[in-house]
Amino acid sequence: MAPRRRQVFDVCVVGTGAGGGVMIDELTRAGMSVVALERGPRLGHADFMGHDELSNVIRGTGFAPKLRETLRRDETETAQPRRFSMIGQCVGGSNVHWGAMSWRLRPDEFRALSQDGPIAGASLADWPVDAAEMAPWYDKAEAAYGVAGGAVHNAPRPGRRYPNPPHPPRSGSQVFDRAVRKLGYAPFPIPIAVNSRPYRNRAGCTNSGMCVMFGCPVDAKASPISVGLPRALATGRLDLRPQSLVHELAIDDTGRIRAARYLDARGDQHEVRARQFVLAGGSLGSAHLLLMSRSGRFRDGLANGSGLVGRNLMYHVLPAVYYLHETVTRGWLGPISGQAIDDLHASDPARGFVRGAVVTEAYPATPIVYATSAGGLWGAALKDYLRQFNRVHALIGIGEDLPVHGNRVDLDPTHTDASGLPVWRITHAHHANDLKLKAYYERKMTEIAAAAGAERSWVVDMTQGSTGHFMGTCRMGADPEKSVLDRWCRSHEVDNLWVVDGGCFPTSGGYNPTLTIVANAYRVADHFAREARRLNLR
Amino acid sequence: MDQPARRDFVRTLGVCLVAMQLPRPLTALAAARGTEPASLARAEWRCVEAICAEIIPTDRDPGAAEAGCANFIDKALAAEDAQALPLYREALAAIDALCVDAHGHAFADLDGAWRQRVLTAMEQGTLTGWTAQMARAQDFFATIRFHALLGFIADPKYGGNRDYAGWKLMGFPGPLHMVGGVTPEQMIGRQPVMPVWATTANDGHGGGHR
């Protein structure tokens, strides 16, 4: 048998989150040998039982202890080290600690440019795929992830139900339900990829809370570690290598990728060879790796002839309103779930901005998350604020933010990580349209709070906090000058390079992005396997 | 310095530099060894305890003093937050020195009204006699305020939230995975939820007991 370092795998997948998990699962199932390189450790149920808010939300030691990054608003500033990204760097990626809200995009969200025309200061684009092409892959993603809910939202044909029924309601949901009905809106259960009953060898949720920002100790929450990776490992064709930090994709004389170079937990250098390379490190991680992979042929980073690698970084704008009500919420029980309305979503320039948002319940479900909304309160006022935890109801909008050329991730010129590699630098300022959208939804959510009979309500500004919804940086499109990837998430320039994560999104859509990442990965994996069978992949 | 930049600074100093350190002994391990000071000198501990008691006062319910926020901070400064220890040392010395100058007593020996006046001046950046170089008074205040809050409501295994004082105040029952889950009747409020302190030993959660 050939020694391990000589082996040439069919496929090397870098990153094991929502996109990589699907690719690994589908390609091993199709008979290919896959090596998966994951920078973080492989966590398990015992780790998730031991996690708490201090480790996961505040210190990041639970999911991303080695994360280093810098942040600035524009090119004139010097980026400062700061913990900003709520991402998971472990086997399963951010999909392990996600909130599990699982939405299909609306048809118009695949063609924002056609619908709303060019917008000054934004780089709006249509997706190279539409809702009709995505529909069967959404079906597949919802089935694999066991999404719980009522009628499938944004399904092309009415009548389709999610594979699992909705989760039982919490007391706070009744308050939301009455309020929005009074205003003429139509509430419905948020579709959520947490089992509401035992499903496909995974347990049902025990409603124990501590869900978003936590791993699931019973595998009721869908992610690669509960869905795709166990199957892939069972094929015997997956070589899963945790704690393998890929820092360079090395090319051969013809400009194809020859090998991935990575550092193991001890900092020792390794190289793994494969015929095809799938990047799935997330919008930040994948762009970061391409930009680190410079060579004579690719001076500005691999596959970056367009100059767009890292650009058009989006992460949603999140209008939020909290309100105090006599009814205890019990928001700390169950998965995140709850009710949503989507009556205010459709883009309407008459509102003074374009694009839109879904509006959902989103309780501050754990003590520290709630307490961080207390601003600078101290003394008796802080204590009273803490006492109100169980009666504070919350609304959040997932606002579609516009892609902006100057919003980007690149290599920080001074800061390095523990291995001496340049950290990623985020340069981001919201487009004026984002802030108008935010203000509009804050007004609408304040109306809902009033209709609920709130004792008082207040806006919570989430633009100062952190986010996990990273999208863009490797947009797909038909034109190699205006996009990084083609419609199959394959590089226009390097024929054995694919990027299958949120990076391919040309625009962000007004919903949590993960189900679209998963569905798109199924679409790409199907094409990939067909091309392999036709011997079109070398 | 403008407002957002200052917030970033505070966040960096108080919480996030922590995450940039190489692995260190966990706060939880330090806390498990006992409640003797692990990083702060006695006088520093008293000052921290007195500041925390103003940030989360004791009223009809327990506050920072009963919850052991000073113990949480002491253990954190011995572990994940070690980078902030020099800042604490310098700032606490500055506070006690200026209190002695102005009132003849260390901060912890002032009465409540004077303590609140000093902290208000710190918060607003109007405190006279601040000699610390590593941070402005308002930045140190924001740091210790946030640490006190964490000490009050973080998992008890880190040395604060003693007897679940913070969670009881908030009406939070604790992590319920290890106590058997929750029924739909409990989610809607028709039946009560048994909090973790009624069902488990009071030695904290997770890694601490299995």
Side-chain angles (χ1 to χ4, degrees), chain A residues 10-134:
Chain A
D10 291 327
V11 187
C12 172
V13 179
V14 181
T16 56
V22 168
M23 295 299 287
I24 292 164
D25 185 19
E26 293 295 297
L27 301 185
T28 50
R29 188 203 302 259
M32 295 175 222
S33 62
V34 174
V35 58
L37 303 174
E38 165 56 55
R39 69 196 299 163
R42 190 173 178 183
L43 303 175
H45 301 146
D47 300 296
F48 303 147
M49 289 290 265
H51 281 182
D52 58 75
E53 281 189 288
L54 196 61
S55 61
N56 287 8
V57 180
I58 300 298
R59 293 197 163 130
T61 46
F63 283 104
K66 293 181 176 173
L67 173 62
R68 311 278 186 279
E69 56 191 347
T70 62
L71 194 67
R72 61 179 181 170
R73 279 167 300 194
D74 60 56
E75 308 263 330
T76 67
E77 294 182 358
T78 303
Q80 299 299 320
R82 172 175 159 196
R83 234 193 137 80
F84 178 69
S85 308
M86 286 163 51
I87 57 177
Q89 298 188 326
C90 58
V91 173
S94 308
N95 213 192
V96 175
H97 70 38
W98 68 316
M101 292 191 186
S102 297
W103 300 97
R104 298 177 179 220
L105 298 188
R106 301 159 71 88
D108 70 279
E109 287 174 330
F110 294 103
R111 43 184 177 82
L113 176 61
S114 298
Q115 166 136 341
D116 287 319
I119 300 287
S123 37
L124 276 185
D126 290 349
W127 290 48
V129 297
D130 61 16
E133 181 177 349
M134 285 295 288

Side-chain angles (χ1 to χ4, degrees), chain B residues 66-195:
Chain B
E66 294 77 16
C69 292
N71 185 52
F72 169 88
I73 291 174
D74 174 70
K75 299 304 173 287
L77 292 174
E80 283 98 336
D81 280 317
Q83 179 132 349
L85 183 58
L87 166 66
Y88 264 81
R89 288 242 152 89
E90 193 191 33
L92 296 170
I95 290 166
D96 271 347
L98 69 87
C99 289
V100 167
D101 276 358
H103 311 288
H105 296 289
F107 181 87
D109 297 320
L110 301 180
D111 68 28
W114 276 113
R115 287 182 186 179
Q116 285 161 32
R117 244 169 273 178
V118 171
L119 293 181
T120 301
M122 279 178 67
E123 179 194 22
Q124 295 172 353
T126 56
L127 188 64
T128 52
W130 181 259
T131 54
Q133 300 295 310
M134 299 172 74
R136 300 176 308 170
Q138 56 267 51
D139 298 326
F140 178 69
F141 179 80
T143 299
I144 194 168
R145 175 200 166 276
F146 192 60
H147 282 170
L149 187 53
L150 293 178
F152 195 58
I153 60 177
D155 194 291
K157 73 185 174 190
Y158 295 107
N161 194 5
R162 190 176 294 147
D163 294 330
Y164 305 94
W167 291 354
K168 285 175 182 170
L169 183 84
M170 297 176 75
F172 177 70
L176 301 173
H177 288 109
M178 55 281 286
V179 295
V182 173
T183 65
E185 290 71 29
Q186 289 173 311
M187 289 179 71
I188 204 75
R190 284 194 205 106
Q191 287 178 358
V193 168
M194 185 93 73

Side-chain angles (χ1 to χ4, degrees), chain A residues 162-182:
Chain A
Y162 287 109
N164 285 308
H167 286 265
R170 297 170 294 198
S171 41
S173 289
Q174 298 172 317
V175 175
F176 176 83
D177 198 81
R178 281 196 299 269
V180 296
R181 285 184 197 281
K182 200 186 287 184

Side-chain angles (χ1 to χ4, degrees), chain A residues 3 27 59 80 90 114 118 157 164 175 178 210 237-238 318 370 403 442 453 462 472 494 496 511 513:
Chain A
L27 301 185
R59 293 197 163 130
Q80 299 299 320
C90 58
S114 298
R157 290 172 306 282
N164 285 308
V175 175
R178 281 196 299 269
M210 296 237 164
R237 288 188 284 273
L238 170 61
L318 306 174
Y370 170 72
E442 285 166 353
M462 299 214 168
V494 180
N496 65 344
Y511 298 102

Side-chain angles (χ1 to χ4, degrees), chain A residues 128-372:
Chain A
V129 297
D130 61 16
E133 181 177 349
M134 285 295 288
W137 306 112
Y138 275 129
D139 293 347
K140 186 162 184 170
E142 285 161 356
Y145 269 38
V147 177
V152 173
H153 193 65
N154 293 335
R157 290 172 306 282
R160 188 179 175 85
R161 310 285 296 179
Y162 287 109
N164 285 308
H167 286 265
R170 297 170 294 198
S171 41
S173 289
Q174 298 172 317
V175 175
F176 176 83
D177 198 81
R178 281 196 299 269
V180 296
R181 285 184 197 281
K182 200 186 287 184
L183 294 170
Y185 306 136
F188 61 95
I190 299 167
I192 180 165
V194 174
N195 282 351
S196 54
R197 59 183 176 189
Y199 177 79
R200 294 197 180 175
N201 294 332
R202 291 192 290 121
C205 179
T206 66
N207 300 316
S208 300
M210 296 237 164
C211 187
V212 63
M213 292 304 291
F214 291 84
C216 183
V218 300
D219 278 346
K221 179 154 73 174
S223 79
I225 60 173
S226 61
V227 176
L229 291 176
R231 277 197 299 239
L233 287 164
T235 65
R237 288 188 284 273
L238 170 61
D239 184 344
L240 174 61
R241 301 186 189 176
Q243 305 202 77
S244 299
L245 171 60
V246 182
H247 59 88
E248 187 185 3
L249 299 174
I251 58 168
D252 65 18
D253 303 342
T254 66
R256 302 181 87 237
I257 305 172
R258 187 180 60 80
R261 295 190 174 136
Y262 68 93
L263 301 170
D264 68 15
R266 287 188 311 237
D268 292 340
Q269 172 101 228
H270 301 269
E271 188 172 285
V272 65
R273 296 188 59 192
R275 296 177 184 86
Q276 299 289 323
F277 289 81
V278 175
L279 291 201
S283 293
L284 300 172
S286 289
H288 183 239
L289 175 56
L290 291 175
L291 294 172
M292 283 197 296
S293 302
R294 294 165 196 259
S295 57
R297 188 189 281 256
F298 297 104
R299 291 179 187 282
D300 298 322
L302 189 61
N304 193 23
S306 64
L308 290 174
V309 170
R311 291 195 176 272
N312 298 302
L313 174 68
M314 300 168 284
Y315 49 70
H316 283 143
V317 60
L318 306 174
V321 168
Y322 283 15
Y323 64 96
L324 186 63
H325 192 276
E326 61 188 3
T327 304
V328 170
T329 67
R330 295 182 180 80
W332 50 92
L333 302 178
I336 195 166
S337 73
Q339 303 271 99
I341 58 165
D342 218 11
D343 309 84
L344 300 169
H345 199 131
S347 184
D348 179 6
R351 299 192 292 196
F353 61 92
V354 297
R355 313 314 305 156
V358 67
V359 173
T360 75
E361 294 182 273
Y363 300 102
T366 44
I368 293 175
V369 168
Y370 170 72
T372 57

